[in-house]
Amino acid sequence: QVELVESGGGLVQTGGSLRLSCAASGRSFVNYAVGWFRQAPGTEREFVATVNWGGGSAINPEYADSVKGRFAISRDDSNNAVYLQMNSLKPEDTGVYFCAAVRAHYGGKWDSLYDYWGPGTQVTVSS
């Protein structure tokens, strides 16, 4: 069982940056692929980024087209954490951001493939 907790959300102006953290407890994170998803009010949850499991494997992040070049996902298995650096934020990036994990090499872009979810952290980008 893995428990996930997100942090780092907040209110930022257009063009600003935030760094979200996803901390895992319960067991080592190294054998889990981790994804970030977001959900704006009245919309379905959507994929943001994913990173394959660690443990010395080559890291191959994937991103939604809407965040490519602005967001970067990284992992620090020594600290059981995954991060999402968000730069050049836009109002359309507003939403609740969730991290999710699955005990697999690769998680993919579909939220149904992930077994563990955090409660989410709110990101609000003002225009």
Side-chain angles (χ1 to χ4, degrees), residues 14-101:
T14 296
S17 298
L18 285 172
R19 187 192 193 211
L20 303 184
S21 299
C22 174
S25 62
R27 59 175 59 197
S28 172
F29 220 11
V30 67
N31 293 321
Y32 289 77
V34 179
W36 284 97
F37 294 79
R38 67 187 181 189
Q39 187 169 22
T43 69
E44 294 187 353
R45 190 161 55 192
E46 66 173 0
F47 168 75
V48 175
T50 187
V51 65
N52 55 291
W53 70 16
S57 300
I59 300 300
N60 294 306
E62 291 189 23
Y63 301 94
D65 289 342
S66 59
V67 307
K68 279 181 183 176
R70 300 187 298 122
F71 289 13
I73 187 171
S74 61
R75 63 186 303 149
D76 180 355
D77 292 322
S78 64
N79 287 312
N80 251 17
V82 171
Y83 306 101
L84 184 69
Q85 178 66 43
M86 306 188 297
N87 300 324
S88 301
L89 283 161
K90 305 175 182 180
E92 51 262 45
D93 294 318
T94 294
V96 179
Y97 282 68
F98 302 90
C99 71

Side-chain angles (χ1 to χ4, degrees), residues 97-108:
Y97 282 68
F98 302 90
C99 71
V102 57
R103 188 177 171 87
H105 176 262
Y106 174 70

